[in-house]
């Protein structure tokens, strides 16, 4: 049965609000998604009925909270089809997940003269942690280019991966263009050279069915808040063989086995990488978000968004002065564009007066903006609750804004 975005919408209380006297049209889902009732209720319930510090208490409340928290780990493992729950590490988000790998993997494996490869279209959070790791180790950062359609340059990939490459870090879906990259094929190529691959899944996990075993990626990172869950919780999946070898990256409670002033030994996976009190309510909210996505079904959700994108594409394609920085095929719900002679900030600000929320600027991808020679773009990005009516409202408002700003 086809999924109805109107019935999905009803589960999202924030979507009923108005902005400047107009119904909110929220099209900034690549930045963060709105939250369904189930997520709000799960977090509320935690503080009303379960709050206690986990993993340490012998009393009922702490044991219940611990059990619920560890169930989330199991649920995330199922969501990503990870082989084992101890390969799932909770973090604050994609940024922290990548920083964990850059620091810990970097300390263990990166040496002077080694290389780390990223692409030109990465989010800053998949660039800067590697720059820092390279500065610490004396390794070099190498950059894979793209073609005019925003596809990764597969020929250049063969040339760029080499004997000194210690890791390839790539986004599965670009947050600027929405392009879905053929990461499975890329991972195969890298593995043929014994190069591990980290996948930034911030923009893929909310839109596509992810199977880390099928992808065979070595690390996979995503954020709860871009996938209908709360802010402050994210995930790092890592293959056990790497995680076992990698040193802890933060010290504190929970990550230890035994502490003396002479020597400290560390806890087993995944706790070795989880120092301090975790975000338990947020984890439970994340579980509710995964439940929501699984109830809709990832293939159905992607089909819904693809239909919406096709509708948006038709509206934007022939628009006077339109410069599109996305392609309609292999797209996970993002369109970046500019209108000739109109600054993206002016357009974004004026669209807000019509109740429309879109993102303008460099989208934390300044190297990509430099590559294109633009200061920024306007970015529309959809989620399961967006409707074709909203796209129509957007397109009408865009016409009015263009007339005013021209
Ligand atoms: N990678 C990509 C592709 C993203 O889109 C984002 C968020 N815009 C991030 C990483 C960082 O995510 P977070 O801020 O949730 O850590």
């Amino acid at each position: 049965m086809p999924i109805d975005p109107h019935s999905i919408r009803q589960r999202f209380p924030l979507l009923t609000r108005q902005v400047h006297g107009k119904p909110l049209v929220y099209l900034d889902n690549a930045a963060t998604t709105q939250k369904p009732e189930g997520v709000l209720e799960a977090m509320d319930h935690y503080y009303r009925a379960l709050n206690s510090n986990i993993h340490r208490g012998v009393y009922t409340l702490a044991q219940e909270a611990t059990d619920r928290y560890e169930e989330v780990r199991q649920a995330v493992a199922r969501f990503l089809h990870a082989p084992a729950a101890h390969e799932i590490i909770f973090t604050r988000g994609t940024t922290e997940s990548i920083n964990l790998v850059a620091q810990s993997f970097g300390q263990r494996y990166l040496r002077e003269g080694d290389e780390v490869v990223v692409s030109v279209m990465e989010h800053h959070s998949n660039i800067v942690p590697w720059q820092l790791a390279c500065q610490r180790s004396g390794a070099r950062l190498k950059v894979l280019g793209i073609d005019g359609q925003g596809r990764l340059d597969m020929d250049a990939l063969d040339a760029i991966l080499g004997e000194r490459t210690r890791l390839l870090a790539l986004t599965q879906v670009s947050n600027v263009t929405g392009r879905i990259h053929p990461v499975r094929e890329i991972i195969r190529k890298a593995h043929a050279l014994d190069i591990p691959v980290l996948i930034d899944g911030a923009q893929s996990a909310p839109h596509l069915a992810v199977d880390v075993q099928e992808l065979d990626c070595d690390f996979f990172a995503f954020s709860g808040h871009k996938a209908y869950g709360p802010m402050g919780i994210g995930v790092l999946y890592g293959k056990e063989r790497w995680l076992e070898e990698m040193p802890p990256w933060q010290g504190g409670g929970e990550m230890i086995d035994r502490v003396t002033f002479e020597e400290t030994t560390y806890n087993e996976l995944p706790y070795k990488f989880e120092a301090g009190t975790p975000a338990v309510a947020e984890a439970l909210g994340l579980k509710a978000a995964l439940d929501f996505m699984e109830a809709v079904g990832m293939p159905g959700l992607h089909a819904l968004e693809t239909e919406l994108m096709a509708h948006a594409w038709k509206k934007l394609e022939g628009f006077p002065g339109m410069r599109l920085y996305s392609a309609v095929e292999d797209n996970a719900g993002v369109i970046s564009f500019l209108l000739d002679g109109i600054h993206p900030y002016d357009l974004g600000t004026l669209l807000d007066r019509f109740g429309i929320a879109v993102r303008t600027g460099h989208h934390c991808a300044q190297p990509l903006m430099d590559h294109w020679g633009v200061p920024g773009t306007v970015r529309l990005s959809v989620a399961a609750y967006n409707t074709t009516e909203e796209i129509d409202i957007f397109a009408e408002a865009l016409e009015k804004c263009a007339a005013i700003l021209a």
Side-chain angles (χ1 to χ4, degrees):
M1 204 177 70
I3 306 154
D4 176 15
H6 295 91
S7 70
I8 291 178
R9 273 184 92 73
Q10 287 164 4
R11 301 191 216 170
F12 289 79
L14 190 141
L15 296 175
T16 57
R17 76 159 278 186
Q18 302 222 324
V19 171
H20 300 304
K22 308 255 177 5
L24 169 68
V25 175
Y26 186 76
L27 295 171
D28 192 19
N29 294 286
T32 199
T33 53
Q34 301 306 339
K35 319 304 172 200
E37 292 278 10
V39 170
L40 307 179
E41 280 161 14
M43 295 179 74
D44 188 60
H45 177 72
Y46 174 71
Y47 283 118
R48 286 179 192 279
L50 282 172
N51 179 49
S52 55
N53 210 328
I54 59 166
H55 291 140
R56 282 175 282 257
V58 292
Y59 52 88
T60 303
L61 203 59
Q63 281 178 359
E64 280 179 12
T66 304
D67 289 348
R68 293 293 91 73
Y69 183 75
E70 290 303 328
E71 279 165 20
V72 184
R73 206 186 297 280
Q74 306 269 355
V76 173
R78 280 195 303 275
F79 181 71
L80 296 179
H81 199 227
H86 65 258
E87 294 176 306
I88 301 298
I89 295 159
F90 287 119
T91 63
R92 284 194 300 124
T94 308
T95 303
E96 192 169 88
S97 297
I98 298 173
N99 274 277
L100 188 166
V101 181
Q103 283 196 34
S104 173
F105 182 96
Q107 185 185 330
R108 174 74 176 77
Y109 294 104
L110 284 185
R111 299 287 172 265
E112 176 117 33
D114 286 344
E115 292 167 0
V116 174
V117 176
V118 298
S119 88
V120 72
M121 63 161 57
E122 299 307 314
H123 188 279
H124 295 163
S125 62
N126 200 26
I127 299 174
V128 185
W130 301 113
Q131 284 178 326
L132 293 169
C134 286
Q135 279 163 18
R136 284 190 294 267
S137 62
R140 276 202 313 150
L141 193 65
K142 294 188 92 175
V143 183
L144 181 64
I146 53 170
D147 70 11
Q149 290 293 305
R151 286 180 292 242
L152 287 170
D153 186 341
M154 296 296 273
D155 295 333
L157 180 71
D158 292 331
I160 210 167
L161 297 180
E163 251 178 32
R164 297 309 303 258
T165 315
R166 292 290 162 263
L167 188 112
L168 170 63
L170 281 182
T171 191
Q172 186 170 12
V173 169
S174 162
N175 67 309
V176 181
T177 65
R179 166 75 68 183
I180 304 167
H181 297 297
V183 289
R184 194 162 163 227
E185 188 188 335
I186 294 171
I187 291 165
R188 286 234 179 83
K189 282 187 181 222
H191 282 179
L193 300 167
D194 282 333
I195 298 165
V197 183
L198 174 142
I199 297 297
D200 173 347
Q203 299 294 343
S204 59
H207 303 281
L208 310 171
V210 172
D211 182 331
V212 292
Q213 292 187 70
E214 195 197 22
L215 288 177
D216 201 23
C217 54
D218 298 273
F219 301 99
F220 186 94
F222 77 97
S223 301
H225 73 96
K226 292 180 196 282
Y228 309 99
M231 293 184 175
I233 184 92
V235 168
L236 174 69
Y237 156 78
K239 281 186 181 166
E240 182 185 291
R241 63 169 279 226
W242 296 116
L243 296 177
E244 284 291 0
E245 291 293 317
M246 286 159 49
W249 78 305
Q250 288 179 337
E254 206 58 46
M255 51 74 73
I256 53 91
D257 168 38
R258 170 106 182 93
V259 179
T260 66
F261 283 113
E262 289 69 41
E263 191 197 21
T264 291
T265 52
Y266 306 121
N267 204 341
E268 60 192 13
L269 288 177
Y271 310 109
K272 181 170 88 172
F273 292 107
E274 292 181 1
T277 300
V280 184
E282 286 73 8
L284 298 187
L286 174 63
K287 164 83 166 55
L290 301 185
D291 289 346
F292 162 76
M293 289 192 287
E294 272 161 1
V296 177
M298 293 314 285
L301 197 149
H302 181 53
L304 198 72
E305 292 176 346
T306 303
E307 216 174 282
L308 205 56
M309 290 301 284
H311 186 75
W313 199 261
K314 267 193 238 140
K315 297 270 168 185
L316 293 187
E317 212 175 15
F319 204 92
M322 176 62 67
R323 275 190 277 154
L324 287 159
Y325 290 86
S326 297
V328 71
E329 77 276 2
D330 297 329
N331 190 313
V334 182
I335 302 179
S336 259
F337 67 92
L338 284 173
L339 288 181
D340 278 340
I342 297 178
H343 197 281
Y345 288 110
D346 294 339
L347 189 54
T349 309
L350 202 52
L351 281 167
D352 175 60
R353 305 302 298 183
F354 291 86
I356 295 164
V358 291
R359 177 101 353 190
T360 58
H362 56 62
H363 317 297
C364 297
Q366 285 177 348
L368 181 59
M369 300 299 125
D370 291 345
H371 174 80
W372 285 336
V374 298
T377 67
V378 182
R379 181 186 72 183
L380 160 168
S381 53
V382 300
Y385 43 67
N386 288 123
T387 62
T388 50
E389 289 86 344
E390 286 183 301
I391 298 294
D392 294 344
I393 295 170
F394 165 78
E396 272 171 41
L398 191 65
E399 255 178 61
K400 289 182 188 148
C401 294
I404 295 166
L405 294 168

